[in-house]
Amino acid sequence: MIRLTDKEFMDIVTYIKSNYGINLTNKRQLIESRMQTVLVEKGFKSFTDYFELVKQNKSDEITAMLNKLTTNHTYFYREPAHFEFLKNTILPRQEKINSRRDIRIWSAGCSSGEEAYTAIMTMMDYFGLKRTSWDFRILATDISLKAMEAATHGLYGAESLKDIPKVWEQRYFINRGENLFELKEEVRNQVFFKRLNLMEPFSFRQQFDLIFCRNVMIYFDQPTKNALINKFYEVLKPGGYLFIGHSETVQRDTSKFLYVEPSVYQKGLS
Ligand SMILES: C[S@@+](CC[C@H](N)C(=O)[O-])C[C@H]1O[C@@H](n2cnc3c(N)ncnc32)[C@H](O)[C@@H]1O
């Protein structure tokens, strides 16, 4: 067994925290045990040598490592209250006030895309035949290229569709057999995937009507979460919404967001 020394542990924890916001302070045993097979497979004799590679070859190696230590797990229609809120509150309001008929959504920390695709299906379903007169698109970003690669292929196991309405399965997926379902092109081509590290500065040409950042900040410490939430505030349109995971909260005294209901926040109109 290759041992993880105190210095190696402190170095990698500091590096990951300052570059990716992820707090691995409590994951010493997990790092030592889960990374063993990777070190052996790649022929490394020490964690120092492996971490050097991780730091040099930023995007691929680091996300492979983070994938082993955190979770990318997600599925369609996860936390359905958000999609109900989109359908019952946001879309009717957009119909009333948005004369340009364009809706911009960002799925931040999208993993393999189920959240973004669920939002697209919610909108397609809501607008029905009227949808051709609307321009709704989603930007979906993550640090993990591997997770997003799965999303662009649009092939999903039956398990990840278990919570969607049956009619959606028939309308938006092609059953490819052997428990595999392929998402139809008309849904896939409305989501644009891009690698983006949430710790880096944002530069977007347009502000968003809605941002999903669900089950991503669970690994961040409080100051990192507060700073990120303030960055989201800046890139939302006035009146725009932020959805976070149901087990997460926005601290009211450190952010300008208005509380709407659990895990739903809004940027004020002025
Ligand atoms: C559990 S998944 C959440 C997927 C989806 N939002 C949901 O709620 O089901 C968490 C995702 O956050 C991503 N993530 C973690 N830190 C990140 C960072 N600094 N920048 C961008 N994405 C990050 C991970 O790669 C992972 O895919």
Side-chain angles (χ1 to χ4, degrees):
M1 164 128 175
I2 304 167
R3 287 277 166 214
L4 176 66
T5 66
D6 291 350
K7 182 175 178 313
E8 287 166 336
F9 175 61
M10 287 314 296
D11 279 356
I12 198 68
V13 167
T14 310
Y15 178 80
I16 301 269
K17 170 77 190 14
S18 61
N19 286 278
Y20 296 90
I22 297 172
N23 184 1
L24 297 176
T25 318
N26 300 324
K27 308 254 174 167
R28 180 167 184 159
Q29 287 196 330
L30 199 73
I31 299 176
E32 197 175 55
S33 58
R34 288 229 181 129
M35 299 317 292
Q36 285 297 318
T37 44
V38 178
L39 264 70
V40 172
E41 263 168 30
K42 295 188 185 259
F44 287 104
K45 300 260 178 310
S46 75
F47 274 94
T48 299
D49 294 346
Y50 173 64
F51 291 152
E52 272 316 306
L53 171 78
V54 163
K55 289 182 195 170
Q56 280 160 22
N57 171 10
K58 279 188 182 162
S59 76
D60 293 350
E61 211 48 59
I62 199 115
T63 54
M65 179 175 137
L66 291 175
N67 284 349
K68 286 208 173 289
L69 302 172
T70 61
T71 175
N72 287 108
H73 180 67
T74 182
Y75 45 92
F76 289 96
Y77 224 74
R78 182 180 194 181
E79 301 183 2
H82 287 139
F83 301 103
E84 294 294 314
F85 190 90
L86 174 61
K87 184 174 82 185
N88 297 329
T89 304
I90 299 182
L91 297 178
R93 180 169 172 264
Q94 287 292 327
E95 272 196 304
K96 276 203 194 112
I97 62 161
N98 189 341
S99 55
R100 293 175 42 167
R101 295 179 180 268
D102 63 343
I103 302 174
R104 291 283 167 272
I105 298 180
W106 178 17
S107 164
C110 64
S111 188
S112 36
E114 290 87 330
E115 173 180 277
Y117 288 141
T118 305
I120 288 289
M121 290 185 279
T122 303
M123 290 192 283
M124 289 175 79
D125 221 42
Y126 177 86
F127 288 116
L129 294 174
K130 283 187 285 180
R131 78 175 192 238
T132 48
S133 55
W134 282 81
D135 171 17
F136 46 83
R137 258 174 286 164
I138 302 199
L139 170 69
T141 65
D142 203 284
I143 41 167
S144 173
L145 286 172
K146 198 163 162 241
M148 288 190 294
E149 203 182 288
T152 48
H153 293 138
L155 264 188
Y156 294 95
E159 183 58 22
S160 80
L161 276 71
K162 68 181 186 334
D163 289 348
I164 64 166
K166 198 73 196 160
V167 54
W168 281 19
E169 186 185 306
Q170 289 147 0
R171 194 176 293 161
Y172 301 119
F173 290 86
I174 304 163
N175 187 342
R176 293 289 183 206
E178 299 187 7
N179 263 339
L180 277 182
F181 289 81
E182 187 183 331
L183 195 57
K184 287 190 181 165
E185 185 82 36
E186 56 175 351
V187 182
R188 269 161 46 203
N189 64 18
Q190 290 181 84
V191 180
F192 174 68
F193 290 94
K194 187 173 183 278
R195 182 174 191 272
L196 186 147
N197 178 357
L198 293 169
M199 294 304 110
E200 286 166 11
F202 299 161
S203 78
F204 299 111
R205 266 180 286 154
Q206 271 185 306
Q207 288 179 308
F208 297 96
D209 297 286
L210 167 62
I211 298 173
F212 287 83
C213 185
R214 310 186 311 162
N215 309 302
V216 176
M217 293 187 278
I218 35 176
Y219 299 107
F220 300 168
D221 66 13
Q222 200 56 52
T224 309
K225 283 184 205 176
N226 295 346
L228 180 58
I229 286 164
N230 287 331
K231 278 164 64 181
F232 285 144
Y233 189 91
E234 294 308 320
V235 299
L236 270 175
K237 290 182 193 165
Y241 289 90
L242 171 69
F243 291 168
I244 60 174
H246 277 82
S247 60
E248 306 169 287
T249 48
V250 165
Q251 285 191 335
R252 294 186 200 190
D253 50 343
T254 58
S255 118
K256 291 187 256 177
F257 274 110
L258 308 170
Y259 170 83
V260 179
E261 60 175 60
S263 72
V264 175
Y265 294 84
Q266 188 177 23
K267 178 170 174 169
L269 279 167
S270 54

